[in-house]
Amino acid sequence: MRVGFTYNMRRAASSPEDDDPHLYPQHAPGISGLDNFAEWDDEQTIADLIDTIGKYHEVVPIEANLAAYEKLRDTRPDLVFNIAEGFHGVARESLIPAMLEMLAIPYTGSDPITLGLCLDKSRAKEILAFRRVPTAKFAVLHAWPLNGQLRHFDYPMFVKPLSEGSSKGIWNDALVHNHTELKKSVEKVWQTYQQPALVEEFMPGREFTVAMLGNGANVRVLPIVEINFSVLPKGALPVYSWEPKWLWDNPESPLEIYQCPAKVDHELQMKIETICRKAFNFLGCRDLCRIDVRLDAEGEPTILELNPLPGLIKDPTIHSCFPKAAYAAGMTFDEIILGIIDAACQRLGIRQ
Ligand SMILES: Nc1ncnc2c1ncn2[C@@H]1O[C@H](COP(=O)(O)OP(=O)(O)OP(=O)(O)O)[C@@H](O)[C@H]1O
Ligand SMILES: [Mg+2]
């Protein structure tokens, strides 16, 4: 097959492409030079994916900028392998899939609606709550005054940007115990990330992330990854915030923060798998997703959020949960990528 590959690349040095308004009219908000490109994939990841897809198919790399539409229209791949995070707004992950829908070109992964719903964490949580899939109580704060929006739950609360990923805007001050701390953290989200703040009940228990591959009732749950907070520096919050993800864990001094397979008893494993299958299907996810789960005060699993475009970093020494789970299942990187392509082809009825 001819497989298009759509991506956004975080370059090591600032590049003229990124600053060219004809290619990227706007960028995601954040702290310049620190986290505004955090969601994009690095050059090595892009190279590894081109190389891997290219071993089995003719690969057509297409950077997901304003020139992408014409390239897709002109090259018309048989299938697009999409990892593009997009560049601005809550529909940013939906931009390429929407173009592909318009061009009637099939692609891997979820459709624009699911990508948008999952990126706005409150919309995803509304659907989960309606379907009675456990998720923390929450409110979306746009402005003061509160007008009783937080009256249905208590401190401590957790404050994060409504629609970011890669722990952007989630630092150790995300956990708040009183109105003064809440105000400070909420205003920081508004100012730095130019979007509403999502305020949630704090889930105090263990944390897991669950990689899923396939579709519908047959979606495969890969070995569960537990986030092992015991390796964090003394005094650090037991949350997978910006600090452990980007500051304290690096190839020179790796943090052994993933335990996979997670040490969970059969009952907890079944509960986690069941709510993840429900979340995957109620949100309309396709082919692959990574779902974050945390236990509440009673030890019951709740869904934190869904990542229908999970990171796919090949190097096992760099922490990337989806490949970590697949490697624990005995898969190779090639098998992960071919598994995603197979899932899409089966769903679409495409013969390879
Ligand atoms: N309600 C909550 N209670 C406790 N901890 C939370 C809560 N919400 C988020 N966290 C912590 O913050 C981390 C990051 O939150 P979340 O997964 O929503 O952010 P993200 O930026 O979308 O993450 P990702 O890197 O998976 O894209 C979680 O892994 C968890 O440790
Ligand atoms: Mg997460």
Side-chain angles (χ1 to χ4, degrees):
M1 286 195 300
R2 257 168 13 108
V3 177
F5 171 56
T6 44
Y7 62 90
N8 290 106
M9 184 157 77
R10 185 173 73 240
R11 293 173 169 84
S14 78
S15 88
E17 284 100 323
D18 292 346
D19 295 331
D20 182 347
H22 300 294
L23 291 176
Y24 283 110
Q26 267 177 310
H27 284 305
I31 306 171
S32 179
L34 181 76
D35 69 0
N36 51 344
F37 290 112
E39 293 180 322
W40 288 9
D41 288 283
D42 65 15
E43 297 178 39
Q44 187 61 52
T45 302
I46 304 298
D48 287 338
L49 283 162
I50 292 174
D51 180 52
T52 306
I53 300 168
K55 279 194 234 169
Y56 306 92
H57 300 284
E58 184 190 336
V59 56
V60 185
I62 298 172
E63 184 160 358
N65 55 29
L66 287 198
Y69 184 83
E70 274 177 29
K71 284 191 191 154
L72 289 166
R73 191 187 56 193
D74 295 347
T75 57
R76 289 205 70 84
D78 300 311
L79 177 79
V80 168
F81 191 99
N82 176 47
I83 65 160
E85 295 281 342
F87 44 87
H88 188 77
V90 73
R92 63 188 179 276
E93 291 182 357
S94 311
L95 300 174
I96 291 292
M99 288 179 195
L100 293 166
E101 293 282 342
M102 192 163 171
L103 291 161
I105 297 174
Y107 54 96
T108 60
S110 297
D111 73 8
I113 295 178
T114 294
L115 292 165
L117 285 172
C118 293
L119 198 50
D120 181 328
K121 293 174 183 169
S122 72
R123 290 285 176 245
K125 286 165 70 70
E126 281 164 9
I127 291 175
L128 294 173
F130 180 79
R131 298 288 192 167
R132 301 190 189 287
V133 179
T135 188
K137 290 182 185 149
F138 69 100
V140 179
L141 301 191
H142 296 259
W144 308 121
L146 285 175
N147 294 329
Q149 287 173 88
L150 301 180
R151 70 173 171 266
H152 56 299
F153 56 104
D154 293 321
Y155 291 106
M157 298 179 188
F158 203 78
V159 178
K160 53 190 180 183
L162 180 62
S163 50
E164 294 300 334
S166 307
S167 286
K168 275 179 73 169
I170 304 178
W171 299 74
N172 263 264
D173 60 359
L175 179 67
V176 299
H177 302 86
N178 52 51
H179 185 76
T180 310
E181 290 177 5
L182 173 86
K183 196 159 186 289
K184 206 168 151 213
S185 295
V186 165
E187 286 177 358
K188 189 164 145 191
V189 168
W190 289 343
Q191 277 152 22
T192 313
Y193 299 97
Q194 297 151 39
Q195 62 192 277
L198 179 62
V199 181
E200 296 183 341
E201 280 179 287
F202 181 65
M203 293 288 117
R206 294 167 71 185
E207 179 164 333
F208 306 94
T209 191
V210 183
M212 310 185 65
L213 183 61
N215 283 294
N218 296 325
V219 64
R220 180 172 173 200
V221 181
L222 297 174
I224 297 172
V225 177
E226 176 158 13
I227 313 299
N228 171 19
F229 297 119
S230 69
V231 300
L232 298 188
K234 233 176 151 196
L237 277 186
V239 294
Y240 204 19
S241 57
W242 181 268
E243 296 92 334
K245 223 171 267 180
W246 294 91
L247 302 179
W248 299 336
D249 185 17
N250 47 65
E252 295 77 50
S253 57
L255 268 188
E256 283 314 315
I257 192 150
Y258 295 164
Q259 167 70 45
C260 184
K263 291 185 181 137
V264 283
D265 61 31
H266 182 69
E267 190 189 349
L268 181 56
Q269 173 156 352
M270 286 302 113
K271 283 183 180 171
I272 293 173
E273 289 194 17
T274 302
I275 63 167
C276 287
R277 282 180 193 281
K278 286 185 180 174
F280 185 97
N281 285 309
F282 286 141
L283 266 301
C285 296
R286 303 192 310 206
D287 304 337
L288 76 166
C289 188
R290 210 199 75 229
I291 302 185
D292 294 341
V293 171
R294 244 177 114 103
L295 304 189
D296 66 12
E298 278 74 50
E300 294 297 321
T302 67
I303 303 286
L304 279 186
E305 58 131 8
L306 292 89
N307 300 282
L309 284 181
L312 295 171
I313 301 175
K314 180 177 181 181
D315 182 349
T317 65
I318 298 181
H319 284 133
S320 183
C321 296
F322 196 102
K324 178 88 182 176
Y327 294 154
M331 296 171 78
T332 61
F333 191 69
D334 288 26
E335 286 168 346
I336 300 174
I337 302 312
L338 292 179
I340 296 166
I341 293 175
D342 280 350
C345 287
Q346 272 187 36
R347 169 173 62 76
L348 292 155
I350 297 177
R351 294 228 331 257
Q352 296 181 56

